[in-house]
Amino acid sequence: MAKHHDITATEKLLEMIRKGQAVPDEQETITPPEISVETVPDTPPSLQPSSLQMEEPEPSAPPPSSPKTDETDAQEEAPSLQLEINSEEEQQKSSDDIFIEPSVSEAEKKTARDTADTASEASLQSPSPTRLETNSAKPPALSWAEKFRCFTSTIIGVDIQHDSLNIAKVNKKGHTSRLLDYIHIPFGDDVSHEETSISSILQSEQFQKTLSNALAKICNTGRCDIWCSIANEFVQLYNISIPMVADKEIANVVYWSTKKEARFDEEQVILDYTVLGGILVKDIPKLSVLVYLASKKAVDTLTSLFSKQGFTLSGITTPSIAILNQIQEGWINVPDGSVSYLYLGNNKSYIDIYSDGYQLFSRDINTGITSFTDTLLSQAQDSGIAVDEATAKKCIFDAENPTTKALPEYQSLAASGYDPGDFDTPATNRLLRQLQRTFDYCTTHFSAKKVNQILISGLPSTSRQFVTFIKDEMGIECTAVDPFGSGKLLITGPTAPDTKFEKISLVTALGLALSQKKTSQNFLFTSQQKEKSRLAARINKVILSVFIILTVCCGGLYIMQKGLINSKETSLADIKKQIPEGTIYSNTEVALELLRAKSEKLKDIQQKKLALAERYFEIALLSEFTQNLPNHVELIRFMITGDRPTARRDAGPKKPTQPASVKRKIHLEGVIATEEKKMEFVLAELMKRIGSSRLIKTQPDILQKIIKEHNGSKVMHFIIKIQPEPIVPGPKKEVK
């Protein structure tokens, strides 16, 4: 039920009635609590859009701040009125029973009706927050594609009412929306009657067949986005205020704020919200948020219904959002300031307040069409006149029609002194009181602008007398909702409906057909999912931007390298043109001279390297021996015999030199200090390591090994002869 709860005073009232206590007088005031959450846990356990369910609140826990629902009906005033509780027995009820009806006796109901009017006059006292104009919400801006009018989409709105199926098809291109087609199909007795619930209608095979045929007929041009309305009784609205937090934290704070004030089962309710803007509560800046809690079972039922017909829903939203879409599009003419939308259903009426392009408040009251017909039927019964429900509606809301005045029932009622067209009845008075209290509450609690117009929809809006009566009593401009008469609805193809009833039946469907996935409230794509989608889109844009930058850089580098290659090729072509053809290849002397010069240069480099190697040969050899000595071996003497190589100069000036080949011998003398039986092994290890050196030409020879006494222990004295590898180049070859 699209409603705000404040039933604490009503609970007290009914409890006093049961105990026989006195009812409080008119001066008693009722103060609704202000919802405000200062701190919340870092992360909710689960904030998936389909992961919430309502639980029955404790009697002591006050509901969110809002004016009381219609105390004139005991069903709404009963203390047990809340969303679906968690008992297994009640979970087996149909989707119509998702919101629990109170168990109040008929006597209590009658007493409550008699006393509720007095209690309803109690003033609503709450802190009066000041709306921050600088932070007030603004309608979402169009994307760049929409601004340039290159974005085109076809949207279909489907509204399933108790008595008819209404479908509208709209083409949206940029700022312009055009109505392409519409379908209005009244239900027969095989689908619906007065007591039929929405769930029963959805499960009807005849209805499903009718829906399938209608969608197949209207979805005949390419891809269409289909939006469907969810009945108001399956949605609850809460106005809450939360601390000023970063955008990424709003979903978390809203979740815990709602969880605190309206405990719910996370498996059977979908949570969505709309940030209305900044307000000041007791001089503390906060955010005003409108929270939607929808039955997941009802949403799944609608999704499954369309899937069975071969269609996929793009969105599910409330009728209130459908009206908001038409206000934003300009299909409904509204003045500046706040506007109230009053829809009168069979058993309930719904009051919505719109301000600054957003839905500010919503509630329902138990004064509906049946409240008016009950008065007439009661009068007819007292007068002994037989009148059925349908005739009663016609006599009340179509009293100006000569055909109605010619009815025997109407004439009999008029003869008895009762005027069916007179709206000065208790039902109308209760409706007027609830309207005024709602307006006063929004003005004081939300600092909203004064309501300047009341838009009336439903069957009573077809009665000019009813609209005029509300206007005169409230002192506010009242009009029946008629987008076809606004002059701003562009129609391509069909003509406007002929009857008023058909026009008002299409109001919600027309608004649904103006919905947009990115901006409209949607139980299939909640605000949290939209925020995640926006974050992903921003990340994708960054990645795309980086990719484009890299692509441009690589492209520029390629162009630059291509230019260098072309420049080199041009220079090479110019050089080839300057050299006579066949000069290099035919002149052998020139080619040989170039080769000799290159060869001499390479030889010079080689001789320098050989000279360096010969110069440091002994040092390298000694370093290698000392690094590879086994344990227990100590060198005593390292002796080189033979002359160092001398440089041989060739004839002619500046000729490169080369070392002459010379034979050298190395004597390595040392001792081995270890156990006598291990000395031979150590000596053999030393010989092996010396022989493996790349600087040794042949295997070393042992010239002497003697075991001697030294400092009281035996040591082996050895002398090893080594033939090193000479460092000389190969024979010189002359280039001829």
Side-chain angles (χ1 to χ4, degrees):
M1 290 173 284
K3 65 196 318 182
H4 295 259
H5 290 284
D6 188 8
I7 59 173
T8 305
T10 308
E11 294 176 1
K12 294 180 180 180
L13 177 62
L14 289 176
E15 187 65 21
M16 295 173 63
I17 294 173
R18 292 189 183 95
K19 296 180 179 180
Q21 299 177 358
V23 178
D25 56 18
E26 297 183 4
Q27 283 70 33
E28 183 177 354
T29 60
I30 302 171
T31 305
E34 169 68 22
I35 299 178
S36 178
V37 177
E38 300 299 334
T39 59
V40 296
D42 292 337
T43 306
S46 174
L47 195 54
Q48 298 302 322
S50 59
S51 62
L52 306 173
Q53 177 187 358
M54 308 302 291
E55 297 177 358
E56 183 180 14
E58 297 178 1
S60 59
S65 68
S66 63
K68 296 189 304 177
T69 52
D70 191 7
E71 297 88 356
T72 60
D73 192 303
Q75 289 183 343
E76 188 168 349
E77 296 174 328
S80 62
L81 179 58
Q82 269 296 353
L83 293 177
E84 180 180 13
I85 60 178
N86 297 327
S87 64
E88 296 181 0
E89 182 177 305
E90 293 185 352
Q91 289 178 355
Q92 297 175 356
K93 294 184 179 182
S94 66
S95 58
D96 280 346
D97 299 326
I98 288 178
F99 303 104
I100 303 303
E101 294 296 335
S103 56
V104 184
S105 65
E106 292 298 329
E108 291 173 344
K109 289 181 181 179
K110 186 176 185 304
T111 307
R113 286 193 182 96
D114 295 339
T115 58
D117 286 342
T118 302
S120 65
E121 299 301 328
S123 61
L124 292 169
Q125 297 180 354
S126 62
S128 299
T130 303
R131 184 165 298 277
L132 301 177
E133 296 298 335
T134 57
N135 296 331
S136 59
K138 296 181 179 180
L142 294 175
S143 66
W144 66 271
E146 293 169 334
K147 290 179 179 179
F148 288 98
R149 302 196 176 192
C150 59
F151 175 78
T152 303
S153 62
T154 302
I155 309 169
I156 293 176
V158 181
D159 179 33
I160 304 171
Q161 300 181 6
H162 286 83
D163 55 359
S164 62
L165 170 64
N166 303 280
I167 304 176
K169 181 178 181 180
V170 170
N171 176 264
K172 188 173 183 63
K173 182 177 181 181
H175 297 277
T176 305
S177 299
R178 292 180 178 272
L179 178 63
L180 301 180
D181 197 2
Y182 63 85
I183 296 176
H184 170 72
I185 304 176
F187 294 146
D189 294 338
D190 55 340
V191 175
S192 173
H193 50 81
E194 292 294 336
E195 302 299 328
T196 304
S197 64
I198 290 291
S199 296
S200 300
I201 294 175
L202 298 181
Q203 296 172 3
S204 170
E205 294 184 1
Q206 182 63 31
F207 167 76
Q208 294 181 11
K209 183 178 180 180
T210 301
L211 176 64
S212 178
N213 294 336
L215 290 175
K217 177 182 178 181
I218 203 168
C219 296
N220 54 2
T221 54
R223 182 182 179 277
C224 300
D225 293 334
I226 302 177
W227 284 70
C228 182
S229 64
I230 183 173
N232 285 316
E233 54 260 34
F234 298 134
V235 182
Q236 282 193 332
L237 273 71
Y238 290 84
N239 284 89
I240 65 174
S241 59
I242 62 174
M244 289 284 186
V245 295
D247 291 344
K248 62 182 180 180
E249 298 293 335
I250 290 180
N252 181 39
V253 177
V254 168
Y255 172 88
W256 289 109
S257 302
T258 310
K259 189 77 172 177
K260 176 182 177 182
E261 299 300 332
R263 296 183 303 166
F264 44 79
D265 190 331
E266 300 177 356
E267 295 181 355
Q268 294 197 11
V269 171
I270 298 176
L271 183 147
D272 197 9
Y273 63 89
T274 299
V275 179
L276 302 179
I279 59 174
L280 284 176
V281 180
K282 298 181 179 178
D283 296 330
I284 300 175
K286 294 188 177 183
L287 285 176
S288 178
V289 181
L290 184 62
V291 180
Y292 304 84
L293 295 175
S295 164
K296 184 177 182 297
K297 183 176 181 180
V299 173
D300 291 343
T301 300
L302 289 173
T303 305
S304 175
L305 172 66
F306 282 82
S307 297
K308 290 180 181 179
Q309 315 309 320
F311 297 92
T312 301
L313 279 177
S314 299
I316 296 177
T317 190
T318 63
S320 302
I321 299 299
I323 300 300
L324 177 62
N325 291 340
Q326 296 183 74
I327 293 176
Q328 293 177 343
E329 187 68 24
W331 285 8
I332 298 179
N333 295 323
V334 296
D336 294 336
S338 299
V339 177
S340 174
Y341 173 71
L342 172 63
Y343 174 78
L344 290 96
N346 285 332
N347 299 316
K348 291 179 178 291
S349 296
Y350 301 92
I351 304 174
D352 298 309
I353 305 297
Y354 302 98
S355 180
D356 296 329
Y358 273 98
Q359 182 182 9
L360 180 64
F361 188 78
S362 181
R363 63 171 296 195
D364 67 280
I365 57 178
N366 286 324
T367 300
I369 296 175
T370 54
S371 301
F372 294 91
T373 58
D374 286 346
T375 302
L376 186 144
L377 293 175
S378 177
Q379 179 66 29
Q381 184 178 5
D382 294 342
S383 303
I385 304 172
V387 181
D388 57 18
E389 186 81 16
T391 304
K393 290 181 181 180
K394 190 173 183 62
C395 292
I396 297 174
F397 301 111
D398 198 20
E400 297 178 336
N401 193 333
T403 305
T404 303
K405 293 182 178 181
L407 293 174
E409 295 86 348
Y410 185 93
Q411 294 179 356
S412 299
L413 289 170
S416 65
Y418 179 77
D419 183 6
D422 184 9
F423 289 99
D424 188 7
T425 62
T428 309
N429 294 330
R430 289 198 302 269
L431 178 63
L432 293 173
R433 284 197 302 271
Q434 295 305 316
L435 281 172
Q436 187 60 53
R437 292 178 60 245
T438 303
F439 298 165
D440 294 342
Y441 177 79
C442 290
T443 302
T444 57
H445 188 73
F446 301 109
S447 296
K449 299 176 182 178
K450 182 180 178 181
V451 175
N452 295 326
Q453 185 178 18
I454 301 176
L455 304 172
I456 303 177
S457 183
L459 179 61
S461 66
T462 60
S463 173
R464 187 173 58 85
Q465 288 180 320
F466 177 80
V467 175
T468 303
F469 183 84
I470 299 296
K471 175 182 178 181
D472 294 341
E473 294 296 324
M474 295 294 298
I476 300 175
E477 180 67 25
C478 296
T479 58
V481 178
D482 182 14
F484 294 95
S486 65
K488 297 183 179 180
L489 190 152
L490 302 177
I491 302 179
T492 302
T495 58
D498 297 329
T499 63
K500 291 183 178 180
F501 182 76
E502 189 174 353
K503 289 181 179 180
I504 63 173
S505 298
L506 288 166
V507 168
T508 302
L510 290 171
L512 293 172
L514 295 173
S515 301
Q516 297 293 319
K517 253 188 177 182
K518 293 183 179 180
T519 57
S520 300
Q521 186 273 324
N522 186 358
F523 291 115
L524 298 182
F525 190 54
T526 62
S527 296
Q528 187 196 15
Q529 292 173 307
K530 293 174 184 175
E531 184 62 31
K532 290 181 179 180
S533 177
R534 285 191 288 267
L535 177 60
R538 286 194 292 268
I539 295 175
N540 291 337
K541 287 180 181 178
V542 172
I543 295 174
L544 180 61
S545 301
V546 173
F547 176 76
I548 292 175
I549 292 173
L550 292 177
T551 303
V552 171
C553 292
C554 293
L557 183 61
Y558 172 79
I559 294 173
M560 184 178 67
Q561 294 294 332
K562 190 69 174 176
L564 290 175
I565 293 173
N566 293 335
S567 177
K568 296 293 184 181
E569 290 178 347
T570 302
S571 300
L572 180 60
D574 293 340
I575 293 173
K576 287 181 177 180
K577 290 179 180 179
Q578 296 175 5
I579 300 175
E581 184 178 358
T583 300
I584 294 179
Y585 302 101
S586 61
N587 194 339
T588 306
E589 294 298 330
V590 176
L592 290 175
E593 186 64 29
L594 292 175
L595 290 175
R596 288 192 189 99
K598 187 69 175 179
S599 176
E600 292 296 333
K601 184 178 180 180
L602 293 175
K603 288 178 182 178
D604 186 44
I605 294 173
Q606 183 182 11
Q607 293 301 326
K608 290 181 179 179
K609 291 182 179 179
L610 290 173
L612 289 174
E614 182 63 34
R615 180 179 180 182
Y616 296 102
F617 177 77
E618 292 87 353
I619 297 175
L621 188 63
L622 179 60
S623 176
E624 184 172 354
F625 286 166
T626 56
Q627 290 178 1
N628 293 329
L629 285 177
N631 295 332
H632 312 295
V633 177
E634 295 182 5
L635 294 179
I636 298 175
R637 183 181 300 170
F638 182 79
M639 183 174 61
I640 301 176
T641 60
D643 297 331
R644 293 175 58 86
T646 58
R648 182 174 69 247
R649 296 183 177 274
D650 297 332
K654 298 182 181 181
K655 291 289 184 179
T657 63
Q658 69 177 30
S661 176
V662 65
K663 293 184 178 180
R664 290 174 296 187
K665 295 181 181 179
I666 298 174
H667 290 82
L668 192 65
E669 184 179 353
V671 296
I672 299 174
T674 184
E675 298 178 11
E676 185 176 357
K677 61 181 180 180
K678 295 182 179 179
M679 291 179 180
E680 291 292 339
F681 294 104
V682 175
L683 181 59
E685 178 66 21
L686 176 61
M687 296 291 289
K688 180 181 178 181
R689 293 188 182 185
I690 294 174
S692 63
S693 174
R694 295 179 300 172
L695 302 178
I696 303 302
K697 180 178 181 181
T698 60
Q699 289 294 326
D701 297 326
I702 301 175
L703 299 180
Q704 179 184 342
K705 59 177 180 178
I706 303 173
I707 297 177
K708 299 179 180 181
E709 291 285 341
H710 180 72
N711 294 334
S713 61
K714 292 182 178 183
V715 297
M716 176 181 284
H717 178 264
F718 64 87
I719 299 175
I720 300 174
K721 177 184 175 182
I722 302 172
Q723 179 70 40
E725 182 76 25
I727 304 177
V728 292
K732 182 177 181 181
K733 295 182 180 179
E734 293 293 337
V735 178
K736 295 183 180 181

